[in-house]
Structure formats: structure tokens, C-alpha cells
Amino acid sequence: MANQKSSLSVPPLASKRFTLISIILLCVLLQIINSLPGVNLNGLGIYPRSLSGLMGIFFAPFLHGGWAHLLSNLIPFAVLGWLVCQYSVKRFWAVFIFTAVVGGLLVWLFGRANLHVGLSGVLYGLWGFLICYGIMHRSFKAIAISVAVVFLYSGLIWGVLPQRPHVSFESHLFGALAGILIGYYLAKQDKKSASYKP
């Protein structure tokens, strides 16, 4: 039948899990490689205002300064990523890519002259998106998710301030700003689409 679903289609729940687990496994794999003697993949991170460091925008989210750095990012990323996936996997990828690229570009433009790596910039982008989208969209689902994020991760707000020299607060700050920006835009677009009557 023409409208019969393909047996190869991925169920929504499995698709959400596959998306998040794939990113987590990629980060773990790269950290394993990075831990080998003589290997330093972190040189591919963002180095502000350097032409070669510009390419780091695409690599930095998947690289980490060590296992402690990676593990500190994985659980909040999984939780916040799962909450964004409650809208759709497509929405998750839009937020992930936008915050990684825009947040990374802002780090490259305005960050300290040092290597910036880690998933925390995107993590803050997911956090900023979920809070802003809930405030702007004001549906029960969006507000409930936003409240849950504030309850669980209100402490993240301190990460956008310079505290420790080895922590890239710039990634946190610009990631959060990028998340807020796309959250505002998508909430406006979704409200406009919902109110449109052909």
C-alpha cells in the first residue's frame, strides 16, 4: 500500500536514543584516541582569531581536555538533549548545529587566545534554548520543560562567568546566547504557524 510505513523506518523513541548515543559515543571514541601516547587531537579545537583555529568550530564540541572534562559534560548533555528531542529529533539537530556554529564563531571572534574544546558550549546552547523557548512559546509542554530545566540546572548560570582560568566560560556564554537566539526565533515561528489559518 502507498501509505504503509517502511519496515526500515526508525521509531521516534529509537531515533532519539540513536541521535544522543551517537554523539556521546563519538566523544568517547575521540577521547580514547586522544589518550593514546603521542596523540593530541585538541589541537583541532577553536583557537580565536587564528585561520587554522577557525576550523575548530566543527571539531571542538567533540573534543575534551580529559576524561573528567568529558564525563562532566555527558550526563547534562544527555538530559538536556533528551528534553530538546521531545519536540523532535529535527529540532534537536537544528539547535545543536546552530549553537555549535554560532557559539563557536563567537568564541573564535571574542574568546581568549587559548584552545577551546568541549561539548559544554552546545550543552549551554540546549539549556538556553529550552528556557527561552518555554518563556516565549508558553504552551503547557514548553513551560513544563522550561521549568524542569531551571529546577535541574539553574546552577549552570554561574558557568557563563569567568571563574577558573582553564575553563572556557566564553564557550558557555556564547553557547547560551546562541541557544537563546534560536529559541526565540523558533518560538516565534511556531506560534505564527499555529495561529495561521488558511
Side-chain angles (χ1 to χ4, degrees), residues 80-153:
L80 295 172
W82 180 262
L83 289 173
V84 176
C85 282
Q86 300 315 300
Y87 295 109
S88 71
V89 173
K90 182 179 178 181
R91 175 63 50 91
F92 168 83
W93 280 117
V95 177
F96 185 99
I97 294 170
F98 184 85
T99 55
V101 173
V102 174
L105 181 59
L106 290 172
V107 170
W108 185 81
L109 287 170
F110 304 110
R112 288 168 293 172
N114 206 342
L115 279 169
H116 298 258
V117 296
L119 195 56
S120 56
V122 172
L123 190 159
Y124 270 81
L126 301 175
W127 176 74
F129 164 79
L130 288 166
I131 294 174
C132 182
Y133 187 87
I135 292 171
M136 296 303 301
H137 193 265
R138 298 179 186 174
S139 66
F140 176 79
K141 177 181 177 179
I143 292 172
I145 291 176
S146 182
V147 169
V149 170
V150 171
F151 178 76
L152 290 170
Y153 293 110

Side-chain angles (χ1 to χ4, degrees), residues 27-197:
C27 291
V28 171
L29 176 61
L30 290 175
Q31 184 55 39
I32 291 172
I33 296 172
N34 215 11
S35 300
L36 297 174
V39 178
N40 182 21
L41 296 178
N42 287 359
L44 297 173
I46 299 171
Y47 196 89
R49 296 167 297 282
S50 161
L51 189 59
S52 59
L54 186 61
M55 290 302 297
I57 291 171
F58 304 101
F59 300 116
F62 309 105
L63 301 170
H64 291 81
W67 286 105
H69 183 204
L70 172 60
L71 294 175
S72 69
N73 283 336
L74 289 188
I75 293 178
F77 170 76
V79 173
L80 295 172
W82 180 262
L83 289 173
V84 176
C85 282
Q86 300 315 300
Y87 295 109
S88 71
V89 173
K90 182 179 178 181
R91 175 63 50 91
F92 168 83
W93 280 117
V95 177
F96 185 99
I97 294 170
F98 184 85
T99 55
V101 173
V102 174
L105 181 59
L106 290 172
V107 170
W108 185 81
L109 287 170
F110 304 110
R112 288 168 293 172
N114 206 342
L115 279 169
H116 298 258
V117 296
L119 195 56
S120 56
V122 172
L123 190 159
Y124 270 81
L126 301 175
W127 176 74
F129 164 79
L130 288 166
I131 294 174
C132 182
Y133 187 87
I135 292 171
M136 296 303 301
H137 193 265
R138 298 179 186 174
S139 66
F140 176 79
K141 177 181 177 179
I143 292 172
I145 291 176
S146 182
V147 169
V149 170
V150 171
F151 178 76
L152 290 170
Y153 293 110
S154 59
L156 288 181
I157 187 66
W158 302 112
V160 303
L161 302 175
Q163 298 181 68
R164 290 172 288 178
H166 63 282
V167 174
S168 176
F169 78 91
E170 298 97 325
S171 294
H172 302 169
L173 174 62
F174 294 130
L177 289 176
I180 290 169
L181 181 61
I182 192 172
Y184 179 86
Y185 173 77
L186 290 176
K188 288 290 188 182
Q189 290 295 108
D190 290 349
K191 287 179 74 173
K192 186 184 295 185
S193 298
S195 62
Y196 174 73
K197 295 180 180 180

